[in-house]
Each structure stands twice: as structure tokens, then as C-alpha cells.
Amino acid sequence: MPSLGVMELGRQLCGKMRRSRRAEGPVTVTMRGLEIHFYLPDTQPLEFLKDRFTAEELCVEAAKRCYISPLCCNLFGLYDENQQLWYAPNHVIKVTDETCIKLHYRMRFYFTNWHGTSERESPVWRHCISKLRGGLGPQRAPEGIPLLDAASLDYLFAQGQNDFQKGLAVVRCPQSEAEQHEIENECLGMAVLAITHYAMTREIPLSTASNEIR
């Protein structure tokens, strides 16, 4: 199957899951004021009708809504998808009766190999005291503790799935037939991972989840 066909298949699968979730939610109404939207399913947006806020203050409120810990909060920011604009932490937003702004809470700073599975790159860790490293010997002890907490990992997965489904995720151009097959496998892997995650969060068998999104 050509790479574009595989990518489109994966996006269709992810899109069907997102549409099925939206169908279960409330009917949306005309937006006014300031809304901060999330990529997590079943997470209602934050709404502000009147006041004055800094982007940092709004990020703190958004982090609480998603259970993002203070350690990981600084990795996130407010993003305007239409204008492709990030809001600086000290940016002041004045919400009045005439305001109509829709922003997304999004992980802004992403580090390669944060999972530590690539031997070609140095793993990314947070610094920690030695007693938190599980009592490993000096040669086996990692540099610290994992960069992301569980809530941040869940959010990054939902954000990545959204980007993949909308075609925003960057897919490299294959330089050889072997690399083309590798890209195809990655795209299909994203779809399979999304189905598995869907089944786990809904506590249903994989076969049932597959049937629901056909």
C-alpha cells in the first residue's frame, strides 16, 4: 500500500474515534468570550466571559483541569490554531463582551528521546537525588527521573493523535524503499496504538473497539 494511502487509513481510523466521542458529548453553542480547549476527550473547555488574565495564569488553570503537575506545567502553553500563534506567558488577555477567542492548551516544548529508547541519542531526565533512583549501582543509575508525569503523557498522546488525524504531524520523505516501509509501519502503528488506547480507556476488548470504529 502506498505511503499516502497508509497515512490516510490511519487518519481515518483516528478520526472515526474522535467523531464517536464528540457524538456522546453535549451540543456546542455559539462561542463568546475566551475559551481554552483541550485535546483530551471528555474534557470540557475553560470559559471566561469577562476579566483580565495573563497567559501564565490561564495555563495554571488549564493544568489543574488536566491534572498536569507543576513540574510539567512549564512545558505547556496557549496556542491559537487559526493564526498559528503562541501566547507568551506574560501576554495579557482582556476579556470583554466583544471578545471571541478560541485557544488550545498545548505541549509546546518537546524533547526527543524523552522515553530513553533510542540508543543513538542521550535520554532526557529530570535531576533527582540519588535515593530516588531505586538504589541502583553507580554504573546502572539513570541521570534522574522521567521527564513527563502520567497526566502529561496522556495529554501528549491525545495531542499527537489530533495532529496526526488533521495532517499536522510532520512525516519525513522516504529516501529509500526500506525507509518508505518504515514510515508506513509508523503510520499504521499510530492507528493501532490509538485503537488500543481507545479500548483501554473504555475498558472494552480490542475486538469490540475495532468493530465500533469501522
Side-chain angles (χ1 to χ4, degrees), residues 111-150:
F111 300 87
T112 59
N113 204 30
W114 54 264
H115 39 64
T117 58
S118 175
E119 297 180 354
R120 294 176 294 180
E121 301 180 53
S122 299
V124 179
W125 303 92
R126 287 187 182 276
H127 177 73
C128 72
I129 58 178
S130 59
K131 65 172 60 178
L132 295 179
R133 300 178 185 174
L136 298 176
Q139 301 300 321
R140 299 174 56 197
E143 297 294 328
I145 58 176
L147 177 67
L148 303 178
D149 56 25

Side-chain angles (χ1 to χ4, degrees), residues 5-16:
V6 172
M7 290 169 56
E8 185 59 30
L9 173 61
R11 287 169 180 158
Q12 287 178 5
L13 291 173
C14 294
K16 286 182 179 179

Side-chain angles (χ1 to χ4, degrees), residues 166-178:
K166 288 186 175 180
L168 301 177
V170 178
V171 180
R172 65 187 184 280
C173 296
Q175 302 299 319
S176 64
E177 185 176 351

Side-chain angles (χ1 to χ4, degrees), residues 26-72:
V27 178
T28 58
V29 295
T30 303
M31 188 195 77
R32 73 183 185 90
L34 168 66
E35 289 187 357
I36 300 177
H37 289 252
F38 304 95
Y39 297 113
L40 291 171
D42 306 322
T43 302
Q44 297 300 315
L46 290 173
E47 299 179 351
F48 303 91
L49 299 180
K50 183 177 294 186
D51 214 330
R52 176 189 176 101
F53 310 91
T54 65
E56 185 175 20
E57 290 172 337
L58 295 172
C59 280
V60 170
E61 293 301 316
K64 292 177 182 178
R65 175 65 63 90
C66 301
Y67 303 102
I68 304 296
S69 72
L71 283 176
C72 296

